[in-house]
Amino acid sequence: MPSLTNMQNMQTVERLHRGATIGIIGGGQLGQMMALSARYMGFHTVVLDPTEGCPAAGACDEHIVADYDDQEAIARIAELSDVLTYEFENVDADALDSVRDRVRIPQGTDLLRVTQNRVAEKTFINQHGIRTARWQEVSSYAQLQAAIEEIGLPAVLKTAEGGYDGHGQKVLRTHDDVHAVRDEWGETFEQSVVEGFVDFAYEASILVSGNGSDYVTFPVVKNNHVNNILHTTLAPAYGAHASDVDKMVNSQAQELARTLAAGFHLAGTLAIELFVCADGTVIVNELAPRPHNSGHYTIEACDFDQFDLHILGIAGWSLPQPQLLSPAVMINVLGQHVEPVFAAAAQHPHWHIHDYGKAVSKHNRKMGHVTVLGEDTQSILDEFESSGCWN
């Protein structure tokens, strides 16, 4: 686990000039959107991804087909690039460290290591005076029992590393669920965390972008998950007539986002997933060291989107404060939604449809998203439901 008080990325990010090359580790939809933003700004891009014809392949100048931990491939993309970035957190930080003498990595690798490990992540957040759910590190059944005695039930057991969209997690509602962990995982198991449930009013997130020294934020948005996968995002989280509680939530989220960004000396975009309690208390759930699914609404709804500011940040350019030009709703298109959504698209010209271009459509795999702009976000949600595409 990296030192949480001595982050590597403490210098101002060196400015990147037009025509320079940005290397992107990961060629999924986030890599695709990064590459498109970079191209509009006059940068070249090289993507490393093991899948032929990955979403980013058509948006970049060169695609290196190799595994993410392939040392020769990492060395090659480093030689071809002026800076390296990544589209997801499960990148081999050691492999990136091995090429730091050949290429700049503005985000650093400590950011990766902190967000790859839930113990390191929660420790970092708490050390900066920011609340999380009550949690304890556990790696044995005995430690789990002791943690449950203190935290109580219900709780969630999560592996410290790996896991996304609900993978690597067990919900513990009863003592029978706790006993079942011993049957499935044994007396000792890999490093994990157990978290107490948060009685939240809704889930939210906020994006913050930086260039190593200056930081700007996007609006707080409200998220709805189905089967632990993001389903819809409403921007902003509250309507035109914000209550005092809404204003308190916004103030807390903006402040904690800038605090965490400064703690990381952030370059690029960081997503912060939140729980918002009924009394307006904001609790941090997870961090993502990159643009995020819940920020896709920014492509149409903001003057600068999350990918623009990610590229500007790692390029060391000055950052504009992004403006929300219109309320919006974003809805994910998973594998089971693809056919009905694209069949209905011709009858909904106001739908902004994004097809990620993935070759294989699978159940619960993110294949695209739809964004609709409008003041009445509830009517937009009703329209999505009445379309039948997401039933």
Side-chain angles (χ1 to χ4, degrees):
M1 189 167 70
S3 167
L4 303 181
T5 57
N6 185 28
M7 304 295 287
Q8 294 171 347
N9 189 25
M10 296 185 68
Q11 71 282 358
T12 300
V13 176
E14 185 177 341
R15 182 170 182 177
L16 201 61
H17 295 286
R18 180 180 176 276
T21 298
I22 298 173
I24 304 172
I25 310 295
Q29 61 267 23
L30 300 181
Q32 178 192 63
M33 296 173 200
M34 286 182 194
L36 290 171
S37 284
R39 174 166 289 182
Y40 289 140
M41 296 177 199
F43 298 121
H44 300 292
T45 54
V46 180
V47 168
L48 172 63
D49 191 278
T51 304
E52 288 274 8
C54 63
C60 65
D61 295 279
E62 183 173 347
H63 175 202
I64 299 172
V65 182
D67 290 332
Y68 300 122
D69 58 354
D70 185 319
Q71 293 285 346
E72 290 186 9
I74 293 287
R76 183 180 173 201
I77 195 171
E79 295 293 340
L80 292 173
S81 305
D82 295 288
V83 299
L84 283 184
T85 186
Y86 36 81
E87 69 145 12
F88 63 103
E89 48 268 48
N90 293 322
V91 178
D92 188 336
D94 290 338
L96 292 186
D97 277 336
S98 72
V99 296
R100 289 175 72 94
D101 59 338
R102 282 168 276 180
V103 64
R104 301 199 304 274
I105 307 176
Q107 293 158 278
T109 52
D110 280 342
L111 173 62
L112 264 183
R113 289 188 169 90
V114 168
T115 54
Q116 284 175 344
N117 183 286
R118 288 188 171 95
V119 173
E121 180 177 271
K122 293 179 185 301
T123 301
F124 184 90
I125 294 166
N126 294 155
Q127 284 184 346
H128 284 81
I130 297 168
R131 288 185 59 182
T132 60
R134 295 181 65 196
W135 67 279
Q136 285 193 23
E137 176 183 356
V138 297
S139 56
S140 71
Y141 179 67
Q143 289 177 347
L144 174 61
Q145 285 184 306
I148 293 298
E149 281 293 317
E150 182 171 336
I151 293 172
L153 293 172
V156 184
L157 178 64
K158 303 177 180 179
T159 55
E161 296 186 359
Y164 65 94
D165 290 344
H167 298 288
Q169 301 185 17
K170 288 184 178 296
V171 176
L172 309 175
R173 299 186 183 278
T174 68
H175 286 287
D176 286 342
D177 294 332
V178 177
H179 298 155
V181 172
R182 179 172 55 186
D183 297 334
E184 295 179 37
W185 290 15
E187 291 289 344
T188 61
F189 42 82
E190 62 183 298
Q191 184 189 42
S192 302
V193 297
V194 60
E195 301 175 13
F197 265 30
V198 175
D199 184 16
F200 59 87
Y202 61 90
E203 295 176 89
S205 58
I206 186 170
L207 301 168
V208 57
S209 299
N211 61 9
S213 57
D214 298 317
Y215 312 104
V216 297
T217 54
F218 287 87
V220 180
V221 298
K222 183 181 293 186
N223 300 319
N224 177 46
H225 290 78
V226 175
N227 296 324
N228 293 307
I229 302 172
L230 182 65
H231 182 54
T232 58
T233 294
L234 276 67
Y238 38 82
H241 305 291
S243 67
D244 289 342
V245 171
D246 293 331
K247 293 174 183 176
M248 184 169 67
V249 167
N250 182 65
S251 176
Q252 288 181 77
Q254 300 284 339
E255 181 179 356
L256 70 83
R258 287 188 169 88
T259 297
L260 290 172
F264 284 121
H265 301 274
L266 178 69
T269 294
L270 172 75
I272 305 169
E273 296 183 48
L274 308 168
F275 294 129
V276 179
C277 301
D279 65 356
T281 302
V282 177
I283 295 173
V284 173
N285 181 27
E286 291 184 345
L287 308 178
R290 50 166 172 80
H292 191 258
N293 193 176
S294 68
H296 289 342
Y297 76 93
T298 62
I299 297 171
E300 284 84 24
C302 296
D303 56 348
F304 290 87
D305 68 44
Q306 62 170 341
F307 303 98
D308 296 333
L309 293 195
H310 182 79
I311 297 299
L312 289 173
I314 64 171
W317 290 22
S318 297
L319 299 180
Q321 173 57 52
Q323 301 296 317
L324 182 68
L325 303 178
S326 169
V329 179
M330 187 282 303
I331 186 166
N332 269 327
V333 177
L334 305 182
Q336 61 268 33
H337 308 141
V338 169
E339 288 190 13
V341 167
F342 286 98
Q347 284 73 49
H348 296 86
H350 56 294
W351 287 8
H352 293 271
I353 295 181
H354 294 256
D355 181 350
Y356 300 153
K358 295 180 179 178
V360 179
S361 178
K362 296 179 181 178
H363 187 83
N364 282 349
R365 187 185 192 194
K366 294 171 184 173
M367 302 299 294
H369 71 268
V370 177
T371 299
V372 174
L373 309 182
E375 294 291 334
D376 188 349
T377 54
Q378 184 57 54
S379 292
I380 297 171
L381 287 171
D382 292 343
E383 178 188 322
F384 286 146
E385 183 176 355
S386 64
S387 73
C389 297
W390 285 270
N391 292 347

